[in-house]
Amino acid sequence: MTAFMALAAAILRGFIRDRTSVFFAIVFPLMFLVLFGAIFTDTGASKIDLVQVGDVALVDDLPAGAKQAWDDTFDVTRETDLDAAIAEVRKGDADVAIEQRGDTLIAHYTETDQVRAAMTQGALDAFVNGANIAATGQPPTYELQVVRVEDESLKVIDFVTPGLLGWAIAMSAAFGAATTLQGWRQSKLLRRLQLSPVPTRTIVGARIVATLLIAFVQTAIFLGLGTVAFGLTLSGAWWMAVPLVACGTLCFMALGLFAGAIAKTTEGAVNVANFLVLPMAFLSGSFFPLDGAPQWLQVISKAMPLRHLNDAMLDVMVRGESPSTAIVPMLILLAFAAALTLIAARLFRWDTV
């Protein structure tokens, strides 16, 4: 136990003294959290920039309630020259320009941003349909009521943080294991440890404990900063993120051991780990959701361990799912860890070949 504690403490001291490791394990991922937090804090649905050309009776004659909804949906500027209004839309200074000819409302829009264009057309269509119903004097037969399934207090940063945390855990564990293995091998420390009276399992256990402690510190910093600085809201089962982080750390530590086993230099190990982790982060929803991705890409994404880590943390930290929903992802992560460890052990060499 004394040797185990001494090795774990030495590994942690080495990590803290290595500014590059600290930067890429903690500071670099936090930069993304701060960036995303600054972008998405207190952001609501932005209004549609609309240019009204001349008099538009449909808008001017809206009843009080509908007029309030119109003002909440559109940021309206007035223009007398249709060509000038269309030029604003074409340059991107406005989303749509409207004019009325007789009973026809004509909307001039741009397809540069197709999502924005669809929102604009849908909003205008809703107001035109409402005006038609009001003109006939007949009340609508059906009514739409929308109810949000998540807590109304949730913000975009609540959905972004779990993915960024998953990426930070994956990068720190994988890069740390890969560089440590190669660094010890090249400095001949690995061979000296083999010849020392300390059992191999003690060395491995100390490295695992040190990596887990670093991951837990990352998690605490992420959640603390997100809560204090950006109003991060956590669900009741958020504590389940702790065993999830532990399983994810073991999985990506095994990935780092694999990278260190097949590479011949420290730089090569870093490159292999980067080649494996960075594309996985993009394909696992760490930076943006994959809901609109093609089906074949969804299949590939679900074959990656980081996707299961991200989804599970999102479930327990944000969506309010029960703690039991994290059990299957944890088993998947541990299965990846076992498989990668076996492969790395098969390829492992005590000395640089």
Side-chain angles (χ1 to χ4, degrees):
M1 182 59 68
T2 303
F4 174 84
M5 296 300 296
L7 276 171
I11 293 171
L12 286 173
R13 285 197 299 269
F15 170 78
I16 294 171
R17 292 169 181 171
D18 187 346
R19 296 180 181 179
T20 302
S21 297
V22 173
F23 175 80
F24 282 104
I26 297 177
V27 179
F28 186 59
L30 281 178
M31 290 169 58
F32 281 82
L33 179 64
V34 172
L35 175 63
F36 278 53
I39 292 174
F40 293 121
T41 297
D42 297 328
T43 57
S46 60
K47 292 185 178 182
I48 299 171
D49 294 322
L50 180 145
V51 181
Q52 178 178 324
V53 181
D55 295 327
V56 178
L58 183 147
V59 177
D60 297 335
D61 297 339
L62 286 173
K67 188 64 169 66
Q68 181 61 48
W70 175 274
D71 293 337
D72 291 340
T73 305
F74 298 100
D75 187 2
V76 181
T77 57
R78 295 182 177 270
E79 179 65 64
T80 57
D81 186 354
L82 177 61
D83 291 336
I86 293 175
E88 287 187 51
V89 176
R90 186 176 289 115
K91 290 188 295 183
D93 295 333
D95 297 309
V96 63
I98 62 170
E99 59 170 329
Q100 185 167 347
R101 299 178 188 174
D103 293 333
T104 303
L105 182 71
I106 302 175
H108 306 270
Y109 70 96
T110 175
E111 280 283 358
T112 303
D113 186 342
Q114 295 186 2
V115 174
R116 194 74 169 173
M119 291 173 54
T120 302
Q121 294 181 60
L124 289 174
D125 188 56
F127 280 102
V128 171
N129 288 337
N132 287 332
I133 292 172
T136 62
Q138 297 295 323
T141 303
Y142 301 101
E143 178 184 0
L144 172 66
Q145 180 179 4
V146 294
V147 180
R148 180 176 176 175
V149 298
E150 294 91 3
D151 190 302
E152 292 184 359
S153 64
L154 294 182
K155 299 171 286 295
V156 177
I157 191 63
D158 298 325
F159 297 94
V160 169
T161 302
L164 290 177
L165 176 58
W167 168 63
I169 296 299
M171 185 172 65
S172 174
F175 281 52
T179 54
T180 297
L181 179 58
Q182 268 299 333
W184 285 5
R185 180 186 288 159
Q186 288 188 313
S187 65
K188 305 301 181 182
L189 177 61
L190 198 61
R191 177 61 72 180
R192 288 196 291 271
L193 288 172
Q194 182 198 18
L195 299 175
S196 71
V198 180
T200 302
R201 62 179 178 273
T202 301
I203 300 172
V204 174
R207 179 65 220 187
I208 290 174
V209 168
T211 305
L212 287 173
L213 288 175
I214 293 169
F216 292 146
V217 170
Q218 286 178 295
T219 303
I221 293 175
F222 255 78
L223 300 187
L225 180 63
T227 301
V228 174
F230 305 114
L232 173 66
T233 304
L234 298 174
S235 68
W238 70 268
W239 53 267
M240 197 62 184
V242 175
L244 267 170
V245 165
C247 293
T249 300
L250 293 176
C251 176
F252 286 97
M253 186 177 180
L255 184 69
L257 291 175
F258 169 76
I262 64 175
K264 295 184 178 181
T265 63
T266 303
E267 293 77 9
V270 170
N271 290 335
V272 172
N274 193 39
F275 176 78
L276 295 173
V277 173
L278 187 58
M280 193 185 302
F282 281 97
L283 295 175
S284 299
S286 291
F287 304 111
F288 49 82
L290 298 174
D291 298 336
Q295 185 60 35
W296 63 268
L297 191 58
Q298 295 274 6
V299 173
I300 295 175
S301 175
K302 290 178 180 179
M304 298 180 176
L306 186 54
R307 174 67 183 270
H308 297 282
L309 177 61
N310 289 344
D311 286 351
M313 287 204 296
L314 192 63
D315 285 340
V316 298
M317 291 173 61
V318 171
R319 290 175 175 153
E321 298 287 347
S322 66
S324 61
T325 57
I327 294 177
V328 172
M330 288 168 60
L331 293 175
I332 292 173
L333 290 169
L334 291 176
F336 270 103
L340 289 169
T341 300
L342 290 174
I343 296 172
R346 186 68 180 270
L347 299 173
F348 175 77
R349 297 292 182 273
W350 287 97
D351 297 302
T352 302
V353 179

